[in-house]
Every structure is written in structure tokens, then in C-alpha cells.
């Protein structure tokens, strides 16, 4: 088993930073922040707060449209409640009504969006790992990060291999906190009908929330998904 350090890990992932963009500040429409419970409907808040504290509830779906101006702040308010007010470990990604690398989302192909999502999760999860750790999956070595830009990725006009990025996310999950909230807003259209991308994304989310090996050995582990969109996570 390989011993790792957070200091080295942050060096290994530095080249991913250019593709990590959570979308929180790159929306098509300017944010007008409001105090929590000013915009979010009471029925959403009450169920949301129960979900946070319920160890058996793994997913929480909020059915809204990011394009409805009166509800546009709801995803930000819920994230801020988790991350800023309760100071709970989180990852977050806003996939709709935003720019990617300064371009409208409609100008970016699904694989590139998926890569941005994974790079964002990696950067955010790396910030949550302990100062030293056992790399139980072997996915967090310098050699593995150097190999992310394999020829197969370049042939698809992507700088990194999506399956290898997924392996890194799994490796970080294996050493991450026992409780993490994964926040996704407007991600239903991210794969845009690409069934293989959906399969990979859904399999990753199941892995993270169901506690697959070696995470299953960790007692009390809770990784939860907050999925916000105009419909629930597609099957």
C-alpha cells in the first residue's frame, strides 16, 4: 500500500486546476445573493434539513428550473447552508445556464463537460483529505496523474481520460471524510443523450453513496447527493 501526503497530492493535481470550474460564479445571469430562507420555499427547507441529519437518506432531489428567476438562488442557498453555515464537507457543480471556458454551454461537447465535472470534484475532494493517508486504491500516485493525458484521451480531443479521472475520484473517496455532501445543480443535460457518459456518471454516484470497497469497511460512512434540476436524476 502506498503512503501519500496531501502536500504532494496538491502538487500532482495542479495541472487539473485549469479545467476545474464549479460554475458557481460563471452563470449566464448575475447572482443576486439573498439571506437563506428568503427565496427557498419552506417545504423544501424543512425536508432538506431533515435529509441532512438522516443517516439513511442518501439522495435529496429538488425539482426546480434554474431558468426560473424567482428560484435561481435556491441551489446557491442550499449549498451555502451545507458548506458555509454548517461547515460540512462538500463538493459542488453547477451544470446549467453557465459558461465553460468563457463559452456558452451549448458550444461545449458532453465529454468536455463531464471532464470539467470530474476535474472539479477531484480538486474539491483533494482539499478534504487528511495530511497523510494510505492510498488504498493506488490511484493517487504521481505516475497515475502523469498518465491521465494518455493518447486515448487526446484522440477524443480531451486532455484527460474520463475513466482515469473517475478512478482518481474513487481513490479520493476512499480516503475522504466519513460524511460528504455532493451537490449537483442542472446536470441532467450534461451528457446530452450520451448513454455511455450517463452510465459512467451513475455508476460513480452509486459507488460514492453505496460505500463500495474499500469504503464499505468504514463504519458510519455517509456520502449524500443533493440533485437539483427540473426533474430527478434520470435512471
Amino acid at each position: 500500500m502506498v503512503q501519500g501526503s496531501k502536500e504532494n497530492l496538491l502538487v500532482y493535481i495542479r495541472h487539473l486546476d485549469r479545467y476545474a470550474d464549479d460554475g458557481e460564479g460563471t452563470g449566464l445571469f448575475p447572482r443576486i445573493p439573498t439571506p437563506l430562507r428568503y427565496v427557498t420555499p419552506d417545504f423544501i427547507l424543512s425536508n432538506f434539513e431533515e435529509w441532512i441529519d438522516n443517516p439513511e437518506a442518501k439522495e435529496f432531489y429538488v425539482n426546480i428550473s434554474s431558468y426560473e428567476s424567482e428560484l435561481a438562488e435556491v441551489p446557491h442557498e442550499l449549498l451555502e447552508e451545507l458548506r458555509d453555515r454548517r461547515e460540512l464537507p462538500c463538493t459542488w457543480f453547477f451544470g446549467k445556464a453557465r459558461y465553460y471556458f468563457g463559452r456558452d454551454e451549448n458550444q461545449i461537447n458532453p465529454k468536455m463537460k463531464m471532464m470539467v465535472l470530474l476535474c472539479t470534484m477531484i480538486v474539491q475532494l483533494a482539499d478534504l483529505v487528511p495530511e497523510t493517508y494510505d492510498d488504498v486504491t493506488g490511484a493517487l500516485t504521481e505516475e497515475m496523474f502523469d498518465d491521465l493525458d494518455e493518447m486515448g484521451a487526446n484522440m477524443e480531443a480531451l486532455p484527460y481520460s474520463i475513466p482515469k479521472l473517475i478512478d482518481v475520484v474513487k481513490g479520493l473517496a476512499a480516503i475522504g471524510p466519513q460524511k460528504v455532501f455532493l451537490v449537483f445543480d442542472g446536470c441532467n443535460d450534461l451528457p446530452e443523450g450520451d448513454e455511455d457518459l450517463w452510465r459512467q456518471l451513475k455508476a460513480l454516484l452509486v459507488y460514492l453513496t453505496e460505500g463500495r470497497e474499500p469504503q464499505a469497511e468504514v463504519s458510519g460512512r455517509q456520502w449524500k447527493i443533493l440533485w437539483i434540476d427540473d426533474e430527478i436524476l434520470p435512471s
Side-chain angles (χ1 to χ4, degrees):
M1 187 178 298
V2 179
Q3 294 285 322
S5 72
K6 183 175 183 177
E7 181 180 7
N8 287 338
L9 177 65
L10 295 178
V11 173
Y12 300 158
I13 69 170
R14 65 188 183 278
H15 61 290
L16 300 181
D17 279 335
R18 74 186 73 176
Y19 298 105
D21 181 359
D22 55 46
E24 188 176 11
T26 53
L28 297 176
F29 310 106
R31 285 194 61 198
I32 305 175
T34 57
L36 189 72
R37 294 174 173 77
Y38 183 76
V39 170
T40 306
D42 288 340
F43 76 93
I44 291 179
L45 280 171
S46 60
N47 291 333
F48 174 68
E49 290 171 344
E50 289 179 10
W51 169 74
I52 292 174
D53 299 320
N54 183 352
E56 303 300 321
K58 296 173 182 175
E59 299 94 13
F60 185 73
Y61 297 107
V62 178
N63 185 353
I64 64 171
S65 171
S66 299
Y67 295 104
E68 295 179 21
S69 58
E70 68 273 18
L71 298 178
E73 277 301 302
V74 170
H76 298 279
E77 290 180 352
L78 298 182
L79 170 61
E80 288 162 2
E81 173 69 8
L82 291 169
R83 181 191 63 195
D84 304 329
R85 293 177 177 84
R86 300 199 182 206
E87 298 184 337
L88 294 167
C90 293
T91 71
W92 58 95
F93 189 80
F94 294 80
K96 184 182 290 186
R98 59 163 291 177
Y99 292 103
Y100 288 84
F101 314 117
R103 289 182 286 173
D104 183 274
E105 60 185 308
N106 295 322
Q107 298 175 308
I108 303 297
N109 68 59
K111 286 189 170 77
M112 182 65 76
K113 292 179 183 178
M114 181 74 161
M115 187 202 70
V116 173
L117 167 62
L118 294 171
C119 287
T120 301
M121 291 184 72
I122 288 168
V123 170
Q124 292 169 346
L125 288 172
D127 194 49
L128 302 177
V129 305
E131 294 302 318
T132 59
Y133 55 83
D134 292 328
D135 181 7
V136 294
T137 68
L140 305 179
T141 65
E142 184 175 11
E143 293 75 18
M144 290 293 290
F145 281 99
D146 287 343
D147 197 38
L148 286 176
D149 57 348
E150 64 175 5
M151 181 61 70
N154 291 328
M155 289 173 65
E156 294 183 359
L158 289 178
Y160 303 119
S161 159
I162 286 177
K164 289 189 176 184
L165 289 173
I166 289 173
D167 287 341
V168 173
V169 173
K170 291 180 178 180
L172 291 168
I175 62 171
Q178 285 192 308
K179 194 170 190 176
V180 175
F181 291 83
L182 311 170
V183 180
F184 301 92
D185 173 58
C187 290
N188 278 7
D189 296 331
L190 188 143
E192 295 180 14
D194 188 320
E195 294 184 5
D196 185 56
L197 280 184
W198 260 129
R199 179 189 59 78
Q200 293 180 78
L201 178 57
K202 287 293 295 293
L204 175 61
L205 297 182
V206 169
Y207 180 95
L208 295 176
T209 57
E210 295 292 335
R212 303 300 188 193
E213 297 291 347
Q215 300 96 303
E217 299 174 0
V218 181
S219 176
R221 186 177 185 278
Q222 296 179 48
W223 282 46
K224 294 166 168 274
I225 295 173
L226 171 59
W227 192 271
I228 308 166
D229 214 310
D230 49 13
E231 60 184 50
I232 67 172
L233 178 62
S235 58

